[in-house]
Amino acid sequence: MSEYDWLSEVRALVGREYGRVYAWDEVNPMMVRQWCEVMGIENPLYTDPEYAKQSEFGELVAPPAMLQPWCLEGLHMNNYPPGSTDENPYEVLGLLEQQGYPSVVAVNSELNFERYLRMGEKLYYTTIIKEVSEEKTTALGTGFFVTQIMPFYSVKEAGDEKVGELLFRVFKFRPAHSKASFENKSAAEKPDATKTDAIPRPYPGISDDTRFFWDGCAKHELRIQHCKSCDALQHPPAPVCSHCQSFDLDYKVSAGTGEIYSFVVMHYPEVPPFDYPNPIGLIELDDGVRMIAGLVGVNISELEIGQRVEVEFTSFDDDLVLPLFRSKSG
């Protein structure tokens, strides 16, 4: 596709390296222990000093997969420690949003490790805009792949040492279900990225395996995949039964009642057309399966694990029906 004039501002950011984001704490055994407990990691190399003393390292080391968590801001958004940059490494995504590419999906994330981290090390990372692709058309829509690299360093008196790297790629796109192409619309018809009501909800990816579920939503039925061989239910839908590997599948209609097994409240990034804060729940249905869905009509400050909820089918943009969940009365 031909280049747009406004893309020159976007491409000018490629190769730019944004300033340091420091870790709040040094690598320490308390946080390693807690992380291992949460993740179910039982390797004594990370938590047993006596065992680690006999290893090739001679002391405790941190799990490599903890590389990124050391430099997270914590509970409050953009709450980075003193000395961290105040630059916005995601400004390239904002520029694309301004041009009518509001939706985002993470395509891939890759962590590479140079070595194990030892207790007492202080880390930071920088952000480099590695690439902005040509305009691409996918099943989701038309947009641009943006690739960022975050190299992580350990602070050293003799010179900071690179200890790992995170590659993060996202797809910023205009949803494919638009009734007319962006280019064919008049200026008055083009969506204003600053107005959430002008941007439609992105459509789910629908395949032969999941079509029955979305057809059910259109009829206000919560359909759960059912194995006719072993009588098990499963969600999300799959081409084969995860219990007995049978291909003989149909569905059963759920009553749509259950409880919140877990939840998050999304604050950032704010992606149109969603409202923020945006509560999302992992719902354990009374049928015995779990599904992720938006929560509506709930008091965010009163959300809790085990809270009873029931499905509510909500229509968006006339022809998209999604199963959301609200607190169950009574």
Side-chain angles (χ1 to χ4, degrees), residues 138-270:
T138 73
L140 289 174
T142 300
F144 300 84
F145 290 91
V146 178
T147 304
Q148 296 177 307
I149 298 291
M150 282 79 99
F152 285 75
Y153 298 89
S154 176
V155 177
K156 303 287 185 183
E157 289 186 6
D160 299 344
E161 179 185 0
K162 185 177 179 181
V163 294
E165 183 176 270
L166 169 66
L167 178 148
F168 189 62
R169 182 177 292 117
V170 299
F171 183 49
K172 289 291 292 180
F173 64 98
R174 186 184 314 120
H177 66 278
S178 299
K179 299 294 188 281
S181 68
F182 188 78
E183 292 80 1
N184 291 333
K185 291 185 177 182
S186 66
E189 293 175 313
K190 291 182 179 180
D192 182 351
T194 65
K195 297 180 180 179
T196 59
D197 59 355
I199 299 172
R201 285 258 181 161
Y203 271 53
I206 300 176
S207 67
D208 291 340
D209 297 319
T210 63
R211 194 176 309 281
F212 78 90
F213 178 83
W214 298 110
D215 287 346
C217 291
K219 297 181 179 180
H220 290 201
E221 292 181 352
L222 190 62
R223 298 175 176 177
I224 307 300
Q225 194 170 49
H226 167 253
C227 176
K228 293 193 286 185
S229 295
C230 70
D231 199 36
L233 296 175
Q234 66 179 14
H235 188 84
V240 63
C241 175
S242 60
H243 303 276
C244 71
Q245 287 70 58
S246 171
F247 290 91
D248 195 11
L249 303 169
D250 60 5
Y251 65 83
K252 289 188 175 182
V253 178
S254 169
T257 56
E259 62 182 39
I260 297 177
Y261 183 84
S262 183
F263 68 90
V264 296
V265 179
M266 300 294 296
H267 293 271
Y268 186 83
E270 294 188 0

